[in-house]
Amino acid sequence: MSALAAAPAYATTPGGFLLVLAVILPAVAVLVMLALGPRQTARIALAALAAGLAVAIAIVAELLQTGAALTYVVGGWQPPLGLALRADGLSVAMLAMTALVVAATGFFAYAQHRLEPATRHGRAPTTFWILLMAVWSALNAIFIGQDLFNLYVAIELLTFAAVPLVCLDGRKETVAAALRYLLFALLGSLLYLLGTALLYGSFGTLDIRLLAGMSADGPALSLALALMIAGLLAKAALFPLHLWLPPAHAGAPAAASAILSALVIKAPFFLILRLVLDVAPPQAAAYAGQLLAILGASSILFCSVIALRQARLKLMIAYSTVAQIGYLFIVFPLAAGTETLPPSGTIAWTGGALQLVSHALAKAAMFLAAGVIAEAFGHDRISGLGGFGRVLPISAVAFGLAGMSLMGLPPSGGFVAKCLLLTAAVTGGHPWLAATILAGGLLAGGYVFRVVDRALATPAIPLAVCKPVPRRLELAALALALAAVLLGLVPLQPFGFLLLGRPDSLTVVAP
């Protein structure tokens, strides 16, 4: 009997249709926006944000109620001929996090666009709403997709929706940054596509669950995974492939920067996680995990030092993004698991997932707060922001709370995540990773306190406000920052929500 025949068939679960809604709703919103025109775009977007958030909550509730992964077989055709959508605990956590960040960012953008009534129905706001919905749909497709070629299509849709967000203002610098982003992304796409071609030619399927069930090994699989992971690293902007990210994220509008740093770069990491833990054979996964951890540790240390030296607030936050992404990649050797303990049962797995969510919330809050600061004072030069906390106290508090999570101070989600990772590094015999985690926290404290010091300073000449900023514009950043902190108060255990529906117990080896 072949491995494909031995693999268990997918079965659509009662809540499986919710997965389709998560992908379709934002896409339908785009079509409706194009049909009804710019004057209705913002209202349609708000309705889509509310509906999408409700769908994400329903998916979380369904997973908790059933305790099993949500599955939907598209058209009733079983893989490898057809496609299946599947959401386990990690996928559902990503869907919920994405919905929350997109909703908060949408609220921020809606309030910002209303500050200038003459242009709120113009080209830039309309384009932003359309691209935001496209990014959301592509992200959801990535988090629940099972077919590697279908995931390639989704990540390409994500790229071509994210790149224009960088240069919405049309300035020469942002266009150049967007083109650099596009070149890195296309290189990554080429490598990923070559890998999928090798896999399909060797095994006749690209379904993650079927590939895992084959227990395949050999040079073709190793080469394919190496190409795919290398391509995804370029899209994730891990050191030393990070050169495109700082100018792209720092030059984009605040709402776009929040989406790019909090969500878009998480998608390639999510796919790398699936490839290493669910597809790669144990020996290859161990080797890849060590290499990824080295790159992750280098990213933490190198980019944190560069962030300390930045003169602009948004550029500092952008380099901080590259540094904080490094924590996600040091998870691989820490969550390697054993013969009796799957990776999803380790504290490192829980810590990595928590870092994934807490970083998204904190980084989105930081970029939105920085956008309010730049809007109010006309610049984001750190040296010229002395006393900004007296003018924009909510933004200063939001930045400080988000910084708590990045530094790993209690009781924030970042603290619990880094504490779990540190514990896993110490108990697992990885002292160099433990030292990196501690050093990264200290460096993060350095660049966060630079801004906090400016916020609390008493300048000789009070800051001049170029444009009054209503308090409601600051609330989105504050809400996300509070969520990043309160996440640390959620009771966590390795065998909890994240383990629901994991394929560790579903892998089938052909006889």
Side-chain angles (χ1 to χ4, degrees):
M1 184 183 295
S2 68
L4 290 180
Y10 287 93
T12 298
T13 58
F17 72 96
L18 293 171
L19 303 181
V20 179
L21 285 179
V23 177
I24 292 298
L25 268 177
V28 170
V30 171
L31 296 178
V32 176
M33 289 175 186
L34 293 174
L36 298 185
R39 292 196 172 275
Q40 303 300 325
T41 300
R43 295 177 182 175
I44 297 168
L46 290 179
L49 291 174
L53 190 58
V55 169
I57 294 172
I59 291 175
V60 172
E62 181 70 17
L63 183 69
L64 290 173
Q65 181 179 359
T66 63
L70 280 72
T71 305
Y72 185 85
V73 181
V74 180
W77 289 85
Q78 288 288 331
L81 295 178
L83 299 175
L85 305 177
R86 189 174 185 275
D88 56 18
L90 181 61
S91 297
V92 172
M94 296 297 291
L95 291 174
M97 175 203 72
T98 300
L100 179 60
V101 173
V102 169
T105 305
F107 175 81
F108 176 92
Y110 182 76
Q112 187 179 40
H113 294 156
R114 289 178 67 86
L115 295 181
E116 299 180 9
T119 61
R120 67 182 180 185
H121 299 308
R123 180 180 300 175
T126 301
T127 304
F128 170 79
W129 290 120
I130 292 174
L131 294 175
L132 179 64
M133 293 295 110
V135 164
W136 194 7
S137 179
L139 284 169
N140 289 345
I142 290 169
F143 295 145
I144 63 177
Q146 286 289 106
D147 182 87
L148 291 174
F149 182 76
N150 194 49
L151 289 170
Y152 164 77
V153 174
I155 204 165
E156 284 306 279
L157 291 174
L158 178 65
T159 296
F160 287 110
V163 168
L165 283 174
V166 173
C167 55
L168 275 179
D169 56 11
R171 291 184 292 118
K172 180 180 177 181
E173 313 89 80
T174 57
V175 171
L179 289 175
R180 182 184 300 178
Y181 177 11
L182 181 62
L183 289 175
F184 271 83
L186 291 178
L187 173 62
S189 299
L190 176 62
L191 294 175
Y192 182 93
L193 190 57
L194 286 174
T196 58
L198 275 174
L199 281 180
Y200 189 75
S202 300
F203 304 106
T205 182
L206 292 174
D207 184 83
I208 292 176
R209 193 181 181 195
L210 296 182
L211 287 171
M214 290 180 178
S215 298
D217 203 347
L221 177 62
S222 298
L223 178 58
L225 292 177
L227 288 171
M228 297 170 76
I229 291 173
L232 292 169
L233 288 178
K235 291 177 176 288
L238 185 67
F239 176 88
L241 301 174
H242 68 287
L243 300 177
W244 63 266
L245 187 147
H249 291 202
S257 295
I259 292 296
L260 293 169
S261 282
L263 301 177
V264 171
I265 59 173
K266 300 298 192 307
F269 168 77
F270 183 84
L271 294 184
I272 292 173
L273 191 68
R274 292 295 200 204
L275 291 175
V276 173
L277 296 184
D278 295 342
V279 177
Q283 186 175 0
Y287 177 78
Q290 292 292 336
L291 180 58
L292 291 172
I294 292 172
L295 295 177
S298 302
S299 187
I300 293 171
L301 299 176
F302 182 79
C303 293
S304 293
V305 172
I306 296 181
L308 273 170
R309 305 180 60 184
Q310 297 306 307
R312 286 185 53 211
L313 179 58
K314 287 190 70 176
L315 201 54
M316 185 204 79
I317 300 172
Y319 274 106
S320 167
T321 296
V322 184
Q324 294 292 320
I325 282 294
Y327 286 99
L328 300 177
F329 287 90
I330 68 175
V331 169
F332 289 100
L334 301 180
T338 63
E339 293 183 358
T340 58
L341 181 67
S344 52
T346 62
I347 60 172
W349 171 270
T350 304
L354 189 59
Q355 171 67 12
L356 194 67
V357 176
S358 64
H359 172 264
L361 298 172
K363 194 50 57 79
M366 273 193 166
F367 266 117
L368 294 183
V372 172
I373 293 169
E375 187 91 18
F377 304 118
H379 69 88
D380 66 342
R381 296 186 303 276
I382 299 175
S383 60
L385 294 176
F388 80 85
R390 302 172 187 274
V391 183
L392 300 171
I394 297 179
S395 292
V397 170
F399 187 94
L401 291 175
M404 281 180 58
S405 189
L406 294 188
M407 289 185 287
L409 295 181
S412 66
F415 164 74
V416 179
K418 291 177 175 63
C419 186
L420 291 174
L421 293 177
L422 183 61
T423 302
V426 172
T427 58
H430 300 279
W432 65 281
L433 287 180
T436 300
I437 293 169
L438 293 174
L442 292 174
L443 291 170
Y447 56 73
V448 169
F449 278 118
R450 278 186 66 201
V451 182
V452 173
D453 176 68
R454 292 286 80 202
L456 300 177
T458 305
I461 301 176
L463 275 176
V465 178
C466 298
K467 181 190 297 185
V469 176
R471 297 298 186 202
R472 67 177 182 274
L473 194 61
E474 304 178 84
L475 295 179
L478 181 61
L480 289 172
L482 285 172
V485 172
L486 295 176
L487 191 62
L489 303 179
V490 177
L492 294 171
Q493 53 183 348
F495 298 96
F497 183 84
L498 298 173
L499 190 58
L500 297 176
R502 278 291 303 155
D504 300 301
S505 60
L506 298 175
T507 300
V508 175
V509 181

